[in-house]
Amino acid sequence: MSVISPEEKQRLITRNLQEVLGESKLSEILKTRDLKVYWGTATTGKPHMAYFVPMSKIGDFLKAGCEVTILLADLHAYLDNMKAPWELLSLRSKYYENVIKAMLRSIGVPLDKLKFVQGTDYQLSKEYTLDVYRLSSVVTEHDAKKAGAEVVKQVDHPLLSGLLYPGLQALDEEYLKVDAQFGGVDQRKIFTFAEKAFSGYEKRIDLMPMVPGLTGNKMSSSVEESKIDLLDDAAAVKRKLKKVFCEPGNVSNGILSFIKLVVFPIFGEFEIVRSKEFGGNVKYEEYDKLEADFASEAVHPGDLKSSVALVINRLLDPIREEFKDPELIKLTNTAYPPVGKAKKNTKAKTPVQSDYCRRSSIPVTHPDADSLYLETIDFGEPSGPRTVVSGLAGLVPLDSLQNRMVVCLCNLKPQKMRGIESQAMLLCASHKSETSKEVEPLAPPTGSNVGDKVFIEGVPQVTPDEKLNPKKKVWEKIQVDLSITKDGIATWQGKNIVTSQGAVSAANLREANIS
């Protein structure tokens, strides 16, 4: 690699960042030596396409001569509402290391100044543990919760583990002996918290990018429509991109963000591939020109999507090839076992596990109540579809319910509603304000089938009661802990509600109730 100036190094390090805290210190360090920077990732769900955003920046760091440490934050993954089971922490760390190396190789980044550290390698040491205790004596519950508000799942009664999380991340930069920490803008509160909590430690530089999803928001490995898995085949990539919101002329979309933050930094250009009938191929060497053409509708969303699909598959091809290795196939399957392998616990009762994915057919208005819909829903049962009555009239458009996948609670006692028996409950996200009420049916993840069972991640499977006793108010007790997160994921007591294909979600509502 040719020698580059400190100014060029700083340009590479800071390009495409939303915010830099401590840029003057960065300049001073680069005058005398290379920067030491770390990026941490909690080893929870599988890394997906959005990880190319930090990989692109890590590529910039390495090209600038930085010493880069990637922290595989296995302990953090467990502390954040046990998103990763304890027994899978080591396996998921191995998966992350292998897939991240494959990603960096796919974009041609040298790995000689890159190292991986597993959190539990040092976070269980005597010194680190004593620092955690010291931290707990000076940090209030309020400050700990505020610091982790954008990172740790927020619930009404948080576990102590979630309150420890931001403090441990603040300690990491000291124990990794780095100059700078690279992390999303959602971690800004943790970065500033670290300065206040550890006044005796050296102040670090904070480098913050924006990490969008294909839906236009932050990408999450739990939000199915925002996730293209790194091992998805070309057909799956095309299918998922088709569902991405990309309105003609509206530049606020995740497709353009991905091109700006990933494609241009890696390839330096982007080509719209289309037939001569619609103007032929156009190669862009500047992102701003592409954005301007999209804004003027000279570039159609369909052409944008199909062209970015070609780039995505170009990035994914070498990763798919690496993961054909039998050892990596075995690692993938053991680190992420199919949902539904937990041992049966006959004592525990979790009635929410009696939810199912269903396909609704043509709904109509109840003949005796304008506020009710009468729905025929296919449960995949030999007895045929069930009749379900829902109070959605005026809240959910009638045609939006036709032939869509929904999530239902199936073992409630059937009840007559205005003379018609309702044989299940259609579950919806809902948000009520002083002036309005918003409601939308929960959406199973892409790939779910009629009759798929719905589970709660991390909760042992049990055989649900055939019919819940209404006198015991089981559903009412369960329902108070059901909610939609800020990322749109359906949860119960902070744990994701999933099928074997991924997480159940709400398309639009955030931080809402489920009823």
Side-chain angles (χ1 to χ4, degrees):
M1 184 182 292
S2 60
V3 177
I4 59 176
S5 68
E7 291 75 21
E8 178 61 15
K9 288 180 179 180
Q10 185 156 346
R11 187 195 71 79
L12 275 172
I13 290 168
T14 58
R15 72 172 178 171
N16 287 332
L17 293 180
Q18 182 165 321
E19 188 174 6
V20 178
L21 300 179
E23 192 159 2
S24 59
K25 182 178 180 179
L26 172 62
S27 301
E28 290 302 311
I29 290 174
L30 292 176
K31 289 177 182 177
T32 58
R33 62 175 174 83
D34 291 327
L35 189 74
K36 296 178 181 179
V37 60
Y38 100 90
W39 174 68
T41 180
T43 52
T44 53
K46 289 182 180 179
H48 45 88
M49 275 305 298
Y51 274 64
F52 272 108
V53 177
M55 292 306 108
S56 173
K57 279 311 304 172
I58 287 170
D60 284 343
F61 299 152
L62 291 169
K63 290 172 186 174
C66 298
E67 296 178 22
V68 178
T69 298
I70 293 182
L71 172 63
L72 302 172
D74 52 352
L75 190 57
H76 291 75
Y78 182 77
L79 290 175
D80 187 3
N81 277 282
M82 296 177 286
K83 285 182 181 176
W86 190 265
E87 62 274 13
L88 296 180
L89 294 185
S90 177
L91 289 167
R92 292 195 176 178
S93 293
K94 290 178 183 176
Y95 178 86
Y96 266 66
E97 180 172 348
N98 277 280
V99 84
I100 286 171
K101 285 180 177 177
M103 292 178 75
L104 292 171
R105 281 192 286 264
S106 82
I107 61 177
V109 173
L111 306 184
D112 53 302
K113 297 189 76 172
L114 175 71
K115 69 176 180 179
F116 290 83
V117 174
Q118 197 166 328
T120 46
D121 288 345
Y122 67 90
Q123 290 166 349
L124 302 178
S125 68
K126 177 181 178 181
E127 294 76 15
Y128 190 94
T129 302
L130 288 175
D131 259 344
V132 172
Y133 284 135
R134 182 167 70 87
L135 180 68
S136 68
S137 69
V138 296
V139 175
T140 66
E141 177 191 2
H142 173 270
D143 287 348
K145 191 171 182 179
K146 180 181 177 182
E150 301 297 324
V151 178
V152 182
K153 278 195 172 186
Q154 299 297 295
V155 294
D156 291 335
H157 303 289
L159 296 172
L160 181 59
S161 57
L163 299 176
L164 286 173
Y165 187 108
L168 268 61
Q169 183 172 334
L171 276 172
D172 288 335
E173 59 187 22
E174 173 67 21
Y175 276 78
L176 292 171
K177 302 301 179 186
V178 295
D179 306 306
Q181 179 173 181
F182 171 57
V185 175
D186 58 346
Q187 299 183 46
R188 192 183 197 282
K189 291 178 181 178
I190 291 181
F191 296 156
T192 55
F193 167 80
E195 290 183 28
K196 297 176 182 178
F198 297 103
S199 55
Y201 286 155
E202 180 185 351
K203 183 179 177 181
R204 262 68 184 193
I205 301 161
D206 300 311
L207 310 168
M208 289 171 276
M210 178 60 74
V211 186
L214 292 177
T215 54
N217 303 308
K218 177 185 173 183
M219 270 198 184
S220 166
S221 61
S222 301
V223 183
E224 190 67 24
E225 70 271 17
S226 178
K227 182 188 75 170
I228 291 176
D229 190 272
L230 297 172
L231 302 181
D232 276 345
D233 60 25
V237 171
K238 183 178 180 181
R239 184 180 69 251
K240 290 181 179 181
L241 283 174
K242 276 187 175 181
K243 298 181 179 180
V244 173
F245 173 80
C246 192
E247 182 182 23
N250 183 354
V251 298
S252 297
N253 68 74
I255 299 286
L256 283 174
S257 295
F258 182 82
I259 294 170
K260 179 180 181 180
L261 297 176
V262 176
V263 179
F264 272 93
I266 292 173
F267 299 111
E269 62 183 22
F270 177 73
E271 185 174 20
I272 292 292
V273 179
R274 60 191 178 189
S275 66
K276 290 184 179 180
E277 180 185 357
F278 297 106
N281 297 354
V282 181
K283 185 174 289 186
Y284 293 90
E285 295 182 352
E286 296 179 0
Y287 169 77
D288 290 344
K289 174 59 176 165
L290 171 65
E291 185 178 285
D293 280 0
F294 187 83
S296 67
E297 300 189 26
V299 173
H300 188 273
D303 294 327
L304 189 72
K305 288 182 180 183
S306 60
S307 300
V308 86
L310 296 175
V311 179
I312 288 175
N313 284 315
R314 180 179 170 187
L315 291 169
L316 296 187
D317 278 342
I319 302 172
R320 295 167 183 146
E321 195 62 33
E322 279 198 41
F323 274 75
K324 289 180 181 178
D325 181 282
E327 288 299 316
L328 291 180
I329 293 173
K330 181 180 178 181
L331 173 62
T332 303
N333 292 336
T334 52
Y336 296 94
V339 175
K341 294 289 184 180
K343 291 182 179 179
K344 184 176 178 181
N345 181 350
T346 56
K347 293 182 180 179
K349 293 290 182 182
T350 312
V352 175
Q353 289 184 327
S354 62
D355 290 358
Y356 286 84
C357 298
R358 307 299 184 196
R359 184 174 294 279
S360 63
S361 60
I362 302 173
V364 296
T365 304
H366 193 294
D368 296 319
D370 292 340
S371 63
L372 301 177
Y373 283 159
L374 188 62
E375 301 140 3
T376 302
I377 302 182
D378 181 8
F379 283 72
E381 298 170 315
S383 57
R386 298 192 194 188
T387 297
V388 177
V389 181
S390 303
L392 302 178
L395 298 171
V396 177
L398 198 63
D399 57 3
S400 71
L401 290 174
Q402 183 175 351
N403 291 323
R404 66 168 290 166
M405 295 292 287
V406 293
V407 178
C408 293
L409 187 63
C410 306
N411 60 349
L412 293 173
K413 183 178 179 180
Q415 289 189 349
K416 284 194 174 183
M417 301 180 72
R418 296 293 182 94
I420 297 178
E421 186 176 77
S422 181
Q423 299 167 325
M425 177 188 288
L426 178 63
L427 294 182
C428 296
S430 64
H431 185 272
K432 187 176 182 180
S433 66
E434 292 182 1
T435 58
S436 64
K437 182 178 182 181
E438 297 176 273
V439 177
E440 63 177 277
L442 296 184
T446 302
S448 296
N449 297 307
V450 171
D452 280 356
K453 240 187 160 182
V454 178
F455 306 93
I456 296 169
E457 205 168 44
V459 175
Q461 292 182 45
V462 299
T463 301
D465 294 343
E466 186 175 345
K467 287 287 183 292
L468 298 181
N469 185 341
K471 293 182 179 179
K472 293 185 177 181
K473 303 290 183 182
V474 178
W475 162 245
E476 289 77 3
K477 294 174 184 177
I478 293 290
Q479 194 268 334
V480 296
D481 291 319
L482 291 169
S483 63
I484 302 294
T485 69
K486 62 184 178 183
D487 293 323
I489 305 303
T491 64
W492 179 70
Q493 293 188 348
K495 300 179 178 66
N496 289 355
I497 300 173
V498 301
T499 74
S500 60
Q501 300 299 312
V504 173
S505 62
N508 301 297
L509 292 184
R510 300 292 182 264
E511 297 182 319
N513 297 318
I514 295 176
S515 57

